Every structure is written in C-alpha cells, then in structure tokens.
Amino acid sequence: MTTITEILDIQAIRADFPILNQEINGKKLVYFDNAATTQKPTSVINAISHYYNFDNANIHRGIHTLAERATRDFEASREAVRDFIGASSIEEIIFTSGTTQGINLVASTFGRKFIKEGDEIIISGLEHHSNIVPWQMLCEEKGIKLKVIPVTDLGELNMEAYQNMLSEKVKLVSVNHVSNSLGTINPVKDIIDLAHSFGAKVLIDGAQASSHLNIDVQELDADFYAFSAHKLYGPTGIGVLYGKKEILNAMPPYMGGGEMIKEVTFEKTTYNELPYKFEAGTPNIADVVALKAALEYIAFHGKENIAAHEDMLLHYATEQLLEIDGLKIIGQAKEKVSVISFVMDGIHPQDIGVLLDNQGIAVRTGHHCTQPLMQRFNIVGTTRASFAVYNTTEEIDRLVAGIHRVKKMLL
Amino acid sequence: MTINETQDEIIEEFELFDDWADKYEYIIDLGKKLKGFPEEQKTEENIIKGCQSRVWLNARQENENLIFEADSEAIIVKGLVNMLIRVLSGHTPKEIAEADLYFMDKIGMSSHLAQTRSNGLASMVKQMKNYAIVYGSIKS
C-alpha cells in the first residue's frame, strides 16, 4: 500500500476545476483522459473572459491603450513561458497552434533548408503520428532516409540500437520526452548528447512531458522543444516551439504574412526579427494570455508537488489494476509519468471505453495516434487512464470497480 | 415485416429495460449471437475502418432483396450491427436506400453513430445504403 504525506489539498484543487463537479450518466464524473487534454482551472477560464471583456485589441503596432494592454499581456505570457522552460531569451519562444504545428514548422523550414538527399532523420517507435508524418512527408519530398529507434518489451527505447544508428549522415533526431501511449519517460538528455556528438540537431516533442516534468531546455541542450498549452491546464489551440536562437535565425520563415515582416516592397521583403519572423498573422491572443494563468497555477502548487501526487496515483493504480485477472499493462518502463495503458484478455478496448463511460468514467481507448507502436506490441489498441493533479485514489477505486463490472458484463 | 415495423419492434423490446446495464447486456448478447462472418470474407474490400474498431460488411442479392452480413472486433458494435442487419437485411434496394433509421435514437444508442465514436458503425450504415443504391441502379 502506498503511503505519502500529501502536501497538496486535492479537494481544494478540485474546487478550482468547475467541470469536474458534474454527473455523467447519473454518476459523478471521473476524468482520466488527461493525456489527451487536461481540464482548466477557473483562473485560466477567467483570464480568457477578462481578456475579451476588457483588453481585446490586435497586438503590436497599435498606439491606443487597449492595443498596449493586449500586447503587454501577450508578451508577458512569452516571458512566463521562457521562465517555465528555462530558455535564455524570449526570442527563442515562438507561439504556435500546438505541438503538431511546432514540429511541422521545423520540418518545413529547418528540414527543407538543412536536410538533403542521402541524409538521415531518426525518430522513435514511441512517437505520436504528429512526430512521424511531418518527417515522412519531408523524407519523401527530398529523398531523406527515416530511421526508427526500436522499442523494448517494457516500452523503453533501445538505446544501444540508437547509438548504432547514429552517424555523420544523421541531421536530425526527433523524439518525444514522454510517450503519450505508454507514459515512458525517455532519456532525452542522453539522446541529445549522443546526437550532438555526431553533429545532429535534436527536436524534443514535449507534449506529454510539460505538465509532469521540470523542463530546462538549456540543461537538456535541446535544439528544439515543442509542447501544447492544453495538456498543462491551459487553453486549446496554442502551443510553444522553443528553438535555439542561432538555429532559428538561420531558418527561413514558415508562413508569410503580416507581423513576420520588417519591410515589404514588390521587389524584396525583409523579415522581422525573432520570434516574430515565425508568427505570421494575428495570433490566438486570448489563449496565449490565458496560458500564463495556467503556468502560474502550476507554479502556485509546485511542479514537484504535482508530480509527487501524480506519482502516488500512478503507483496506486498500477498496484490495483494488476490485481484484476486478465489485465495486462502495456508499458512497464522504469521511468513513467501518470499514464497507464492496459489490455484485457478477450475484451476489445472500445467495449471497455463504452461501458466505463456509462459508469461516468472517462478514459481513452484505441491506438492513441501511435499505430506503429500498437503494431509493435501486436495489439489493436489499449485502454488508457491518465492522471492529473485533481485526481484521487477514490477515483482509481471507481475505475477498478468499473473494470470488474465491465468484465462481468462481457465475459 | 417492413423496415419500420422491425424498428418499432426493437424500440418496444428496449422499453423493458430501465437501467443502462440491462440495455447493454442485451446488446452484448446480440453481439455474441451475430452469425459468424466467414474469415475469408474479412478482406480489405469488405472492411470499414474506424478509428477504434474495424467492421466488416458484405452484401449479396437474393431474388429482389439485399442480404447483409457483417462483423466487428468490438462486441457492442457487433450487437448494434446485429440490430441494423435485422432492420435492413432482406429488403429491396429501394426500401433500404430510403429507410429512415430512427430506432437507434429511440433506444438511446444514437451516440454510437456519432462521429466521435469513430467506430465504423456510421460508415457501415452509409455503406449499406451505398450498396442499396448500387444494386438498385444495376437492376433498373
């Protein structure tokens, strides 16, 4: 039995998330789909409505008071993000629509300019489709070879195989910090150091890591780090791409338009400085502003405290679930965040999902946008329960009871 | 029995259940009872890919009528497929193409046809109608 002295008052935290206080199919909602998106605290919701109620204006260049306020808050959010990931300068913080756009931006600009026919890109077998397909598209276009780090039976990356793949031909390594399907925490520091020793740049997909782990891009020495706001209690539709200044400066722009230019004539356009060079068009201002409220929410409770609580939930759930006959956890890496994927003998994940939903329990079922990983384990999909700061052991008990009920109904 | 008579019959059957679990246990039972779909028919051509689970559908003509056979990996989908076949199979292409499938909504299962489920069931209904349109046009 896991015992831990809780520093956080989880009931008080739950009260910050109004959406949790509702019934689904007549039962109190248990929300275990946090790896897909987390719920939002009142402070984030209020930041969005405050922006539209009092401060809305288009940012930069406006000389009126509202434009100044909107610009000030937008840029304050950039500074908060810089601090959150330990970047050295706000010039290295590019707002995107999410992790997917961040990866596509790097593929389209860095990839097109610096990776050539005969070169190689390394990804891993744990990747989300959004960290596979942009590279496949680039490889197809330019005759680049895509290599994949194999996954072990425990759901960890085979680091020996990775080392053997590296050579001077490799120009980019793009892997996730944490696997969305299995919860595995990858040794990204080692991955980056090894890649750098061959002169390759490294992009880290931090979508699943950003709400659980402390991120320090300088300590990691990551060349690019991409993540989404909505997985860390922030709004949907925005994300961040961190890139080292000298690399971003060398890269061509992604999209053309307003904001990203310095001067336009029909003969020649000069581009704006970082980070604006990569932020064409009016951005999603309200949600960028609200991202700061999400980062403040995390900072207020302390990332270490949140991680300790989630870790307790992970261990408790792992113990409880393994007691269910016929249940097998996919992904038993030594280092994991609070994500549990499992399969059950003779039961399709979709049936589990439907029958748990009828008991008010929200989990995710299917391939989790990682079809190659599912093929690796020779399964059609899993049921995935993923925990956030507001979840409790009582809710895990509900899940366990729910699965017993599902078994009784189906077998 | 017409398509609508079968639908009304199913709606009546479901009126007996006052609890979600009873309803689903019945559907699961229907899933288990669905006639075996031959393995050799589980071809790429017959597959309807959903994000969550795969559904196989095969159609053939007997006299004037279309006969459907189907299968799924997931048992609840299979139970729902069983009911769809009970409603539509054995009718003329014209009747099938024009059928208004209201029973799923009335028995509280319309969410399974919603896009979010991504289970191939909505695509299967569409495919059944497409078969009806194709067979209907061949005849005329």
Side-chain angles (χ1 to χ4, degrees), chain A residues 324-353:
Chain A
I324 300 173
D325 260 356
L327 185 146
K328 188 181 166 207
I329 292 177
I330 304 291
Q332 292 164 311
K334 278 193 277 309
E335 302 286 331
K336 271 178 77 168
V337 301
S338 49
V339 168
I340 300 186
S341 247
F342 61 90
V343 292
M344 294 193 64
D345 288 346
I347 304 181
H348 193 280
Q350 191 186 338
D351 291 323
I352 300 175

Side-chain angles (χ1 to χ4, degrees), chain A residues 353-370:
Chain A
V354 169
L355 297 175
L356 286 177
D357 178 55
N358 274 283
Q359 301 174 70
I361 303 165
V363 293
R364 187 145 296 246
T365 58
H367 53 62
H368 317 296
C369 291
T370 55

Side-chain angles (χ1 to χ4, degrees), chain A residues 27 348 350-351 354-355 357-359 365-367 380 405 409-411, chain B residues 20-21 24-25 28 32 51-53 73-77 112 117 119:
Chain A
K27 286 102 185 167
H348 193 280
Q350 191 186 338
D351 291 323
V354 169
L355 297 175
D357 178 55
N358 274 283
Q359 301 174 70
T365 58
H367 53 62
V380 292
R405 180 107 198 242
M409 289 177 77
L410 286 169
L411 297 177
Chain B
W20 71 272
Y24 274 96
E25 269 164 9
I28 290 162
K32 288 176 179 166
C51 203
Q52 298 262 338
S53 58
E73 299 171 317
I75 198 78
I76 292 168
V77 172
H112 290 279
R117 294 286 189 198
N119 56 18

Side-chain angles (χ1 to χ4, degrees), chain B:
Chain B
M1 207 181 266
T2 67
I3 284 176
N4 285 357
E5 279 166 359
T6 313
Q7 294 199 81
D8 294 341
E9 195 180 67
I10 292 173
I11 294 163
E12 226 170 274
E13 286 165 16
F14 271 78
E15 276 165 4
L16 298 171
F17 307 125
D18 43 11
D19 165 77
W20 71 272
D22 294 343
K23 212 188 261 190
Y24 274 96
E25 269 164 9
Y26 181 64
I27 293 169
I28 290 162
D29 198 42
L30 287 177
K32 288 176 179 166
K33 281 180 183 151
L34 184 66
K35 217 176 80 192
F37 191 80
E39 278 301 314
E40 64 270 18
Q41 292 279 359
K42 289 187 179 176
T43 58
E44 272 300 303
E45 201 176 294
N46 286 338
I47 204 167
I48 295 162
K49 280 184 184 157
C51 203
Q52 298 262 338
S53 58
R54 291 177 294 180
V55 172
W56 292 270
L57 174 69
N58 188 29
R60 63 189 157 81
Q61 205 161 14
E62 260 183 34
N63 304 321
E64 292 292 290
N65 299 329
L66 264 189
I67 308 293
F68 291 116
E69 289 169 320
D71 199 357
S72 170
E73 299 171 317
I75 198 78
I76 292 168
V77 172
K78 220 168 148 175
L80 298 168
V81 163
N82 190 334
M83 287 191 282
L84 281 165
I85 288 178
R86 179 172 153 201
V87 169
L88 292 178
S89 190
H91 290 277
T92 65
K94 188 172 184 294
E95 287 166 343
I96 294 165
E98 288 170 1
D100 166 27
L101 293 173
Y102 54 82
F103 81 100
M104 288 286 280
D105 188 34
K106 293 272 189 214
I107 63 171
M109 291 292 141
S110 56
S111 67
H112 290 279
L113 288 175
Q115 201 163 11
T116 53
R117 294 286 189 198
S118 305
N119 56 18
L121 202 63
S123 313
M124 189 188 98
V125 172
K126 208 171 151 193
Q127 188 59 27
M128 286 171 132
K129 294 242 178 190
N130 284 344
Y131 271 126
I133 292 163
V134 170
Y135 277 100
S137 64
I138 290 169
K139 199 192 141 212
S140 61

Side-chain angles (χ1 to χ4, degrees), chain A residues 307-329:
Chain A
H309 175 68
E310 289 170 344
D311 212 39
M312 182 275 292
L313 294 174
L314 173 70
H315 287 102
Y316 182 74
T318 305
E319 277 172 24
Q320 298 299 308
L321 288 174
L322 284 175
E323 284 189 14
I324 300 173
D325 260 356
L327 185 146
K328 188 181 166 207
I329 292 177

